[in-house]
Amino acid sequence: MSLSTRIARSFGRSFESYDQAATPQLRIAENLAERLSRAGAPTRFAKGFEFGCGTGALTRALGARFAFDALCLNDLTMQAATTAQSVGAGFIAGDIRAIDWPERPDLIASSSVLQWIEAPETLIQRLAKALNKAGWLALSGFGPAQFQELSRLGCPPQAPGLRDAQAMRDALAALPDITVFDCAQTQQTLWFDTPRDALRHLRETGVNAAASRTWGKRDLHDFSARYIRRFGQNGRVPLSYHPVWLIAQKRA
């Protein structure tokens, strides 16, 4: 089974629980839209394109700050078509690397998606080249410290596109007509009562960080004990997020 198929199935199963569980992703989407506004983007775009729209966290954040003459959304799962319907947007299902994109959009945006893309640098370059003149790019993903606790316990995220801010900036360095206004990263920590609660959070957001493992009762008990022993503080355990974002514009 391909990675994109596994991702589509995982997020499809968690579609109904995503918004309630994915508080970091919701904050990241708000941050990305706000930073786009602060960078000087116009309040109205002729044509917008968002890929990996999911349940609409970024769609709503953008809609609160910008207007669109035309908006097209994309996602791996057809369930996300409801997100497009809710805002009167067009919808294209499929892998962003394989579908036909709208021609010359004035904004291409995506939040918490790039980590699932193999060689995200190549995609970032394609996106920048596809922009209309004076068009904007607003992207976020996650960096190498994402879920670092799980990695240290031998369960690294099954995400091939974890990149830091410098790698995202470097992806556009060879394009002389692109100006990067904002490219940075931060770290956030969620705290849970038990390791099982942390794993439940991952499942409810469609992020199965241990997808390559089969869990038995003994495995889960051992994992929980090691998690608490190594990272537990005051009766709780942490889970690290490493959001990374990029705001850029194509010259007119």
Side-chain angles (χ1 to χ4, degrees):
M1 185 187 301
S2 69
L3 177 61
S4 60
T5 299
R6 294 203 310 272
I7 293 169
R9 289 188 178 183
S10 181
F11 280 99
R13 287 193 298 267
S14 67
F15 198 82
E16 297 301 324
S17 62
Y18 184 87
D19 279 350
Q20 184 174 355
T23 51
Q25 289 88 341
L26 299 182
R27 289 196 299 266
I28 290 165
E30 285 288 335
N31 177 67
L32 186 65
E34 181 61 25
R35 286 178 176 275
L36 176 63
S37 178
R38 291 180 184 177
T43 57
R44 189 174 197 91
F45 292 99
K47 185 185 295 185
F49 177 46
E50 180 191 346
F51 66 92
C53 67
T55 58
L58 181 59
T59 310
R60 293 188 294 271
L62 291 172
R65 296 167 175 83
F66 306 98
F68 297 89
D69 294 335
L71 178 63
C72 182
L73 306 184
N74 152 264
D75 200 82
L76 281 173
T77 172
M78 276 300 301
Q79 287 165 283
T82 59
T83 300
Q85 293 169 1
S86 70
V87 295
F91 182 74
I92 305 172
D95 189 320
I96 181 61
R97 296 164 297 181
I99 63 171
D100 292 328
W101 303 350
E103 291 187 10
R104 297 298 174 191
D106 300 286
L107 171 67
I108 300 178
S110 182
S111 182
S112 301
V113 173
L114 287 177
Q115 70 276 5
W116 299 117
I117 305 294
E118 296 178 9
E121 298 86 353
T122 300
L123 177 62
I124 292 172
Q125 292 170 357
R126 282 187 60 198
L127 294 168
K129 291 175 181 178
L131 285 169
N132 198 7
K133 291 182 178 180
W136 289 79
L137 192 62
L139 305 173
S140 77
F142 293 106
Q146 181 78 349
F147 304 151
Q148 59 182 327
E149 297 84 2
L150 301 182
S151 295
R152 292 175 184 175
L153 292 172
C155 302
Q158 303 297 302
L162 297 172
R163 299 292 189 273
D164 63 16
Q166 189 60 52
M168 292 183 70
R169 183 184 291 273
D170 289 346
L172 296 177
L175 302 181
D177 60 344
I178 299 294
T179 300
V180 176
F181 288 100
D182 189 355
C183 185
Q185 58 195 349
T186 189
Q187 287 196 258
Q188 304 171 0
T189 303
L190 295 187
W191 290 90
F192 298 91
D193 291 334
T194 70
R196 292 192 183 199
D197 291 331
L199 293 178
R200 185 179 301 112
H201 163 76
L202 295 176
R203 184 173 66 250
E204 290 176 349
T205 58
V207 182
N208 187 351
S212 62
R213 291 195 54 177
T214 300
W215 292 84
K217 287 185 178 180
R218 180 173 296 180
D219 294 325
L220 185 57
H221 182 272
D222 176 66
F223 171 82
S224 296
R226 290 189 295 119
Y227 204 136
I228 293 170
R229 185 167 57 248
R230 188 160 183 181
F231 302 108
Q233 297 182 37
N234 301 318
R236 308 192 81 195
V237 294
L239 183 65
S240 297
Y241 276 78
H242 183 190
V244 182
W245 61 87
L246 170 73
I247 306 290
Q249 185 185 23
K250 194 170 194 174
R251 293 173 194 162

